Amino acid sequence: MPKMSNADLKTMLAAEKADALAAISAARLAEERADAMDYYLGNMRKDMPAQEGRSRAVSTDVADTVEGLMPHLMDIFAGSDEVVRFEPVGPEDEAAAAQETDYVNHVFMQQNPGFMILYSFIKDALLSKVGVVKVWWEEREEESRETYYDLTEDQFALLAQSVMESEGAMRIVAHSMRGRRQDVKPRNAGRDVADA
């Protein structure tokens, strides 16, 4: 085996030392998080075990402080119509920035439970020293079925024309003249489903 240079040895030892310190730090952080959760729940058995025959009353200062801070923090982050705002770089960007602001706020607060996401994120950060939010984009196809009864010939003709103009987004899966039953099943061509 070739002899290792001093520089390589120093690099290897520095990496091992960093890994060891990170593990110690992670273990200490995990212990601090567990203690913080115990304090929040009013469990003081680890630090102040109750003596036999003595009061077991526990102050809930940690929970009171966290719960007292939450309304103020939520007001800061979610108290206005704009959770996020895009600033235009120049005058030509003003319309695009306004549209982006409206869209992102709509997606976060209307299409997703934005308030609860922020609430959980902030509370986790207060209790565990870190708050994590996972974000992803998901595309999926959805199908829906509509059934029409007692359509006149003209109404059915209009419906059939709409299906043909949908360019494959919708299709007629059953048609009956007896009960005048017509089922229309949209095919999803993208993320949004437009029902016939």
Side-chain angles (χ1 to χ4, degrees):
M1 178 175 195
K3 185 176 178 183
M4 185 181 290
S5 70
N6 284 342
D8 290 342
L9 180 62
K10 285 181 182 178
T11 302
M12 184 185 74
L13 291 174
E16 292 295 328
K17 179 181 176 185
D19 287 346
L21 291 174
I24 292 169
S25 173
R28 191 177 307 129
L29 181 60
E31 186 178 334
E32 289 172 1
R33 287 177 178 165
D35 289 344
M37 186 56 70
D38 284 344
Y39 299 153
Y40 178 78
L41 297 173
N43 180 358
M44 299 293 293
R45 286 188 295 255
K46 178 181 172 186
D47 296 320
M48 297 171 48
Q51 295 177 358
E52 198 61 42
R54 298 280 181 125
S55 171
R56 296 185 189 277
V58 176
S59 174
T60 57
D61 290 350
V62 174
D64 296 342
T65 302
V66 169
E67 297 302 331
L69 283 172
M70 288 304 297
H72 301 292
L73 291 171
M74 289 306 297
D75 189 40
I76 291 169
F77 291 103
S80 71
D81 292 338
E82 293 181 348
V83 176
V84 84
R85 180 174 53 232
F86 289 84
E87 295 292 336
V89 176
E92 68 280 357
D93 297 330
E94 288 179 7
Q99 185 177 16
E100 291 162 351
T101 298
D102 291 342
Y103 178 73
V104 170
N105 282 299
H106 173 75
V107 168
F108 185 68
M109 295 302 279
Q110 304 300 318
Q111 292 182 345
N112 292 287
F115 183 87
M116 290 309 299
I117 291 170
L118 283 174
Y119 187 91
S120 300
F121 169 71
I122 292 169
K123 192 166 184 178
D124 285 348
L126 291 173
L127 287 173
S128 303
K129 298 186 178 185
V130 67
V132 178
V133 176
K134 180 178 179 180
V135 180
W136 72 95
W137 182 269
E138 181 177 308
E139 292 187 22
R140 64 179 184 267
E141 293 184 11
E142 294 179 3
E143 288 190 3
S144 62
R145 184 181 206 128
E146 294 182 4
T147 304
Y148 300 88
Y149 293 100
D150 298 325
L151 294 178
T152 65
E153 291 298 322
D154 291 339
Q155 290 171 328
F156 179 72
L158 284 172
L159 182 62
Q161 182 180 354
S162 296
V163 169
M164 290 185 63
E165 290 173 355
S166 74
E167 298 179 3
M170 295 183 294
R171 65 187 170 109
I172 296 176
V173 294
H175 171 65
S176 170
M177 293 298 286
R178 210 171 262 136
R180 293 195 182 249
R181 174 183 167 180
Q182 296 88 19
D183 288 347
V184 177
K185 185 175 185 182
R187 285 188 199 158
N188 187 3
R191 285 187 305 273
D192 300 320
V193 177
D195 293 336

